[in-house]
Every structure is written in C-alpha cells, then in structure tokens.
Amino acid sequence: MPNEDRLSWSQLRDELTQLQSELLAVEVRESSLLAAVHPAQRASALNLLHYTELRQRDHWKLQGQLAERGLSSLGRSESHVMASLNAVLGLVDAIARGAREVEPASTDAVTRERGHSLLHEHADRLLGAPNGKRRARIMVTLPSECAHSTELVQQLVAAGMDCARINAAHDDRAAWEAMARNVRDAAQALGRRCMVAVDLPGPKCRTGALAPGPEVLKLRPRRGPAGDVLEPARAWLTDTTDSRHAPSLPVAVTFRRALHPGDKLSLHDARGRRRRFHVASVVDDAVEILSDRTSYVRSGTVLRAGGLKATIGRLPPLEVPLIVRVGDLLALTRQAVPGGPARCGLDGSSLALAHIPCVPAALLDMVRSGHSVWLDDGKIGGVVEAVSHDAMLVRITAARAEGEQLHAGKGINLPDTETTLPAFTERDVEALAFACETADIVSMSFVRTPEDVRDLLERVEALGRADLGIILKIETREGFDRLPELLLAALQSPRTGVMIARGDLAVECGFERLAEVQEEILWLCEAAHVPVTWATQVLESVAKTGRPTRAEVTDAAMAERAECVMLNKGPYITQAVTLLDDILRRMAAHQDKKSAMFRELRVAGRFKRRMDQLADGGAKKPAEVAP
C-alpha cells in the first residue's frame, strides 16, 4: 500500500468511530423491528441489523489498513459485529492516544464466544444435537418406500440421519403418517434422536399435462457387453399397477392364483412378437414373472398359461415429451388442454405451435415481453416474445444442439417476473395441518416476502403449535434479495432456520452466481445466529449410483460450514448418508464457519521428522524418505 494512502492512527480511530455511530443509529432507527422479534432472538436480530448496516458499503481499504497493522480486519465478525468493532476501536484509540493500556470494551454487545454459542443453541433447538462427533446434522429426504419399509428407515437412522424430511409435494397423508411413525419407532429402537421435518409444496410453477401416449410397458433384460443376459426382464402380475411391485401388469386374481413357480406363460407383444415368461415366485397373490427377451406389453394383451388365459388391464399411458430446440417457439397456455408438438401442413406451413399448459395460469397475468423463462431446472431457456390472454410465446434460446425433452410437471422459473402468487395452496394447508399434528419442523417453500413468513407463523399459532420449528427455503431471486427482512420476520419464532435450496436458486440467480449467493446467505444467517441447511444435489451421484464424483466430495466438505446438510433420495441413499457422515466428521476438526482451525497436520509432522533425520546425519536424502 503506498505510503500516501496510509492513514494515521487518529484517522483510523475517526473512521472506526464513525462506523460505530452508524451501527448505534440503526438500533434506534429499527427499534420497531427489534420489538417484534421473540425475546430469545432479540440479541440476534440486533446483530443482524449491525451486520447489514456494516455491509451497505465497501470497507476493503479500511480492512487493509487494519490488517497491515496486525489488527482484526472485521472480516470474521458476522456473529459478533459490535463487539468486534469495539475491540478494534479500543486498540486503535489506545495507540492513537499513546496509552499504556487498553480500556476494556463494552460488554453489552454479543461477544465472539456468545455469538458462536447462540448459533449452536439455536441449531440444537431447531434441529436437535447432531449424532456423533460432527457439528453439522444430516437431513434425508425420505423416499416413498419409507412408508412401508421399516428396515430402510432403521438403516438411515443407524447410518447417521438426524432429521427425516417428508416432501409433501409427493405421496398422501396416509404415507406421510406412516413415514413419521417409522422414523419415531426406528429412533426409539436405536436410542437416537431423529427430528421429522415436513416440506410444504409451495406455489411451484410447473408445466401442465401432455397428451397421453400409448398404454405400453417396455420390459427389457439387462445385458453384458457381449449381449449375454445379466438380469432378466422382470414384471409382477397384480390387481392394479402397484408401486410396491414395479413394474406391474394388472391381471385377474383367479388367473394369478392358478400360477405356481416354474409355470410357463406366453403373449404376443405390441409388435406381434411372441414372448415367453416363467413364474419366479408368488407373494400374497402377486406373481413375479421373468423373461430373457425384450417385450412391449400393451393394455388388452392376452396372457396364456397352459389352458388358461387372461387379459392384461389398463396400463398407465406413456408420456411423450415435447422436443424443443434453440430457435423454436413454444406456447405456454392458460387452458389446461394437454400439450403437444408443433404441427405443420403438407406445404411446411405451421398449423399449430408446440404447446404445454402453464400452471398456475395466473402467471400469464404477471409476465411481460422480454422476460426470461427457464424450464426444467434450467435445462431449457427462453425469452417471452409475446403475451396474450391465452398464452405466452417463448422463443427458445438455450437447449442442447440435439434438442431437449420437456415433460409434464417440470419447473417454470421466471427470474425477471415479480409474481404475486399466494404463499399457501390447498395442498399447503393440508400439509401444514399434518406438520402441526406430527412433525418437529415445517419448511416453507418459495418464500418471497416477510408477509409470507408472518402468514406462516399466524397459521402455526392458530393450529396450536407456536413451538413448531420453521425453515425458510430460499429458492427465488426475490427471496434472496429480501433475506434480511425474511430473517427478521422469522426471528419472531423461537425456533427458525434457513435452507439454501440451490436448485431453483441457481436458475433464478444464474448458475455463475450460485457460489457467491450461497456465501452471502451463510454470512447473513450467521449474523442472525440462524442455522442453515445446505441442500440440493449433495452427493447426488452416490445416492443414485453408489459412486461419488470428486466435485461432489469437495461440495460435501464445504457444506460442513452449514449447520445441516440435506441429501435427496436415491437407491443408494444409505451409502450416501454413511459417506457424508464420514466427510463431516473429518471436516469438523479443520473448519468452523469461515475460520480454519490450526489442528495438527500430519504432513507437517512427517516433514519435521524427515528434517530431523537429515540433521542427525547419515539419514536418507529427502527424495528417498518414505512418506
């Protein structure tokens, strides 16, 4: 730093004093906000106000001047802003005055130790104490299977699940109740604590239904590199299509009860090809059949076994997705008419645009020409060219060269559009009632405004659960932009937290900004002493395939700075919990929020031992010393 830019000690004191005055002024200016928060959260709310006031302008030059003199640069003061500022100001003032001693700083402000303690207390109050020797808890999104598989739930709890997340956007109340009951029973049996969190669906904007395709089920064996069958094609004959026995073919019970293991069956598939199966097992009237050949089974296909025959019932229609490419024009429609592809005349003229319903239709009243649109978690991007009462026309600007498939029920993100959708849908009301009866925590999806938060708190109190923990899911640009306001509203509850829902948030704010945005959320929440859940695609490859990627392991290690880490469901979810538990235990010894902990480094010890060997004489050269 050039000498002419160097501030004197008295100039440094003046700048710090001015900064202190600004922080004290915000206490008076926002006194009504402070009065509204829960008494147990008041010190945290005040620290958040100090932090937001501190971060309203750049202080990097001041920080550089402080660091150059070996003083704290205030760069790690999130949890204790005023105490940190007072301590530095006291030192600078003493030096500027030539004093021999530093007068003790005011003890009214939250100290570093107290700030960290408050965050840990709030995390324990909301999420429970973590299992094992780690600071971060593990939250797991329960698959539907957990409603009837007590064994899977027990495996998850034993592997280290601290909080079970029930996603109320899926399944029904009976399944939610079974999941919660299985979690409680497993935790009690294993002598562990496991919280239950219910995730409200929220006003998610999605694509509507597509025109149904053929009622066909493809059964295909798994083959090796040389075409040999590694695993036969498998199906179950049941009453109806059944998720517990998938894939399933609905067949009359009289036919099924006449079958036994080893029996032979045959059919002619949708291509007219004869296919043979044999019965592998019979379980409670459900018959497992196997084949070494691929078959396309259609509704109404006749199935024969000896002198018996049966007709296969209605199969779910296949969904035929739209294929969209860069340059295409896609209509998102108001009417719930099933979507379909573009149609052209014999002369190549356009008869109809590719179209799909927009749910909710009210979005058409809010969007404007020129607004950006992202579909299916950002896989497809476009710009609104025109809006009418019936549809918005979107010109596709981002998709793979070969085209992208667009299915029903995929997310619609409108980052440029200020939406005014109600925070609670009918599904949310049902799920919230269940959460108040059964759960420890409720998570609010797509929260955008302080009014949304206050609405949730009022509903929870009306249902007699003012003690229910709440988590605000930050997954929209508006939610992120208004995070300090959302936190102050949430601090009216004694148990509150934030989830960084990185999926929608990345689409809304831009993938290139995600790392910066999640850091800012962590800082603001630490200033409010609010625990954070780090979510979306953590160890996703492990959960889905059983094998991690290098980037995922690094991401999981970085997630240790949050108070909770969420895993999504997958066939290998238990392995993902085990791996995450191991990573978090290791990282807990090295990192505490932004501070690196100076634990013993084994590599440093090995280096010193090698140098000692050389100093003793007769030792090997460094290149020859074994690690």
Side-chain angles (χ1 to χ4, degrees):
M1 182 180 295
N3 287 335
E4 60 267 22
D5 293 333
R6 185 182 176 91
L7 298 176
S8 66
W9 287 104
S10 60
Q11 289 173 318
L12 271 179
R13 177 183 58 194
D14 291 344
E15 285 211 18
L16 291 169
T17 301
Q18 175 61 31
L19 192 55
Q20 183 189 57
S21 299
E22 292 171 3
L23 300 195
L24 291 171
V26 77
E27 298 182 22
V28 178
R29 190 171 71 243
E30 304 297 350
S31 58
S32 60
L33 281 175
L34 290 172
V37 304
H38 192 278
Q41 305 275 31
R42 202 150 291 161
S44 300
L46 179 58
N47 191 71
L48 173 63
L49 289 174
H50 287 158
Y51 184 72
T52 54
E53 186 70 20
L54 178 70
R55 297 300 303 270
Q56 285 191 35
R57 55 188 174 89
D58 287 341
H59 295 290
W60 61 272
K61 289 184 178 179
L62 174 63
Q63 287 183 293
Q65 298 263 353
L66 293 170
E68 189 181 63
R69 291 166 167 84
L71 300 175
S72 168
S73 67
L74 308 176
R76 295 176 183 169
S77 64
E78 282 82 4
S79 67
H80 51 287
V81 177
M82 185 62 85
S84 184
L85 176 60
N86 288 344
V88 175
L89 178 56
L91 286 168
V92 171
D93 177 63
I95 295 172
R97 291 186 292 104
R100 293 179 177 272
E101 295 183 0
V102 179
E103 295 182 6
S106 169
T107 57
D108 294 338
V110 173
T111 63
R112 179 182 183 278
E113 181 180 357
R114 181 58 181 153
H116 288 191
S117 176
L118 280 171
L119 179 56
H120 293 315
E121 288 173 15
H122 294 169
D124 286 349
R125 188 185 304 158
L126 177 69
L127 300 160
N131 289 307
K133 297 179 180 178
R134 49 178 163 83
R135 279 189 298 271
R137 295 115 185 115
I138 297 176
M139 179 184 290
V140 179
T141 302
L142 297 182
S144 300
E145 184 184 354
C146 288
H148 52 82
S149 175
T150 56
E151 181 182 1
L152 175 58
V153 177
Q154 288 176 346
Q155 289 173 354
L156 292 172
V157 174
M161 177 173 71
D162 301 287
C163 183
R165 172 179 176 252
I166 298 173
N167 187 353
H170 303 289
D171 304 306
D172 55 23
R173 179 162 182 143
W176 306 337
E177 290 173 348
M179 289 179 192
R181 183 171 56 253
N182 290 341
V183 170
R184 304 289 193 203
D185 291 346
Q188 183 176 8
L190 294 169
R192 307 186 72 165
R193 184 177 183 183
C194 187
M195 309 290 271
V196 174
V198 174
D199 204 271
L200 303 182
K204 177 74 172 178
C205 307
R206 296 185 183 275
T207 54
L210 287 165
E215 296 177 354
V216 174
L217 177 63
K218 182 180 180 181
L219 302 175
R220 180 175 60 181
R222 187 166 66 89
R223 298 183 181 274
D228 52 316
V229 175
L230 301 179
E231 185 177 340
R234 183 187 314 272
W236 289 83
L237 308 183
T238 59
D239 281 323
T240 59
T241 52
D242 186 346
S243 61
R244 292 174 300 174
H245 297 101
S248 57
L249 303 171
V251 175
V253 67
T254 52
F255 181 81
R256 288 182 278 122
R257 286 177 177 171
L259 298 176
H260 302 89
D263 285 353
K264 307 298 182 184
L265 301 91
S266 66
L267 58 81
H268 285 84
D269 76 356
R271 302 166 297 171
R273 297 178 182 177
R274 187 175 185 184
R275 290 292 181 255
R276 292 182 173 85
F277 293 80
H278 73 271
V279 176
S281 64
V282 178
V283 181
D284 297 332
D285 286 339
V287 180
E288 182 186 22
I289 60 173
L290 307 177
S291 175
D292 288 343
R293 305 288 298 277
T294 297
S295 56
Y296 291 80
V297 183
R298 189 192 298 271
S299 298
T301 297
V302 176
L303 188 61
R304 301 179 186 273
L308 301 174
K309 67 177 183 179
T311 300
I312 293 174
R314 295 291 297 273
L315 295 169
L318 292 178
E319 183 186 86
V320 181
L322 298 180
I323 306 297
V324 294
R325 297 176 175 84
V326 172
D328 287 354
L329 199 59
L330 173 68
L332 294 172
T333 64
R334 183 183 295 271
Q335 291 188 343
V337 176
R343 292 188 292 111
C344 297
L346 294 176
D347 60 354
S349 61
S350 176
L351 298 179
L353 294 175
H355 60 97
I356 194 167
C358 177
V359 182
L363 284 177
L364 271 67
D365 301 324
M366 306 169 196
V367 73
R368 298 290 181 267
S369 296
H371 285 190
S372 59
V373 179
W374 292 96
L375 305 166
D376 193 6
D377 290 335
K379 294 184 179 69
I380 302 167
V383 176
V384 178
E385 283 200 353
V387 184
S388 68
H389 176 269
D390 298 322
M392 65 169 116
L393 303 184
V394 179
R395 183 70 67 180
I396 302 302
T397 58
R400 289 184 298 181
E402 64 271 26
E404 202 75 57
Q405 293 186 352
L406 179 59
H407 294 264
K410 295 302 179 181
I412 301 174
N413 290 92
L414 301 165
D416 301 332
T417 305
E418 186 174 334
T419 61
T420 55
L421 298 174
F424 283 87
T425 65
E426 290 183 12
R427 179 82 166 182
D428 291 307
V429 173
E430 178 190 7
L432 181 60
F434 164 74
C436 288
E437 292 175 16
T438 310
D440 304 293
I441 302 166
V442 65
S443 300
M444 187 177 194
S445 299
F446 301 103
V447 58
R448 297 179 296 108
T449 68
E451 290 72 26
D452 293 343
V453 180
R454 286 191 279 270
D455 188 8
L456 172 64
L457 295 178
E458 289 172 5
R459 289 172 182 266
V460 165
E461 186 171 2
L463 290 167
R465 282 298 307 275
D467 64 315
L468 186 68
I470 66 166
I471 291 178
L472 308 182
K473 293 176 63 180
I474 306 303
E475 47 197 328
T476 67
R477 181 186 293 180
E478 186 177 1
F480 168 67
D481 288 341
R482 302 188 69 170
L483 182 57
E485 300 168 69
L486 299 180
L487 289 171
L488 286 167
L491 289 174
Q492 295 177 33
S493 167
R495 298 177 60 215
T496 190
V498 158
M499 178 182 288
I500 310 177
R502 299 184 298 171
D504 282 285
L505 193 59
V507 177
E508 290 267 332
C509 297
F511 284 83
E512 69 281 359
R513 283 201 65 204
L514 179 61
E516 174 189 10
V517 165
Q518 69 185 17
E519 287 299 303
E520 292 188 27
I521 293 174
L522 284 169
W523 298 337
L524 285 163
C525 289
E526 186 178 0
H529 310 134
V530 166
V532 173
T533 299
W534 181 293
T536 312
Q537 292 186 318
V538 179
L539 297 180
E540 182 134 327
S541 294
V542 184
K544 290 185 174 179
T545 70
R547 294 183 62 82
T549 66
R550 294 169 179 82
E552 284 178 340
V553 172
T554 302
D555 178 59
M558 293 293 288
E560 196 274 335
R561 293 176 303 154
E563 284 66 48
C564 183
V565 185
M566 192 189 89
L567 294 171
N568 278 325
K569 56 192 175 184
Y572 299 91
I573 183 60
T574 305
Q575 291 92 315
V577 174
T578 301
L579 177 58
L580 181 59
D581 178 74
D582 182 65
I583 292 171
L584 294 177
R585 287 172 188 266
R586 294 174 184 273
M587 290 305 299
H590 299 290
Q591 189 79 21
D592 183 12
K593 303 303 277 187
K594 289 198 302 181
S595 300
M597 310 302 291
F598 273 27
R599 295 289 301 275
E600 175 191 356
L601 282 183
R602 294 179 182 177
V603 65
R606 289 196 292 266
F607 171 74
K608 183 178 186 303
R609 287 193 294 274
R610 289 196 291 269
M611 294 303 100
D612 288 345
Q613 288 176 351
L614 290 173
D616 289 341
K620 299 178 182 178
K621 296 178 181 179
E624 298 173 348
V625 176

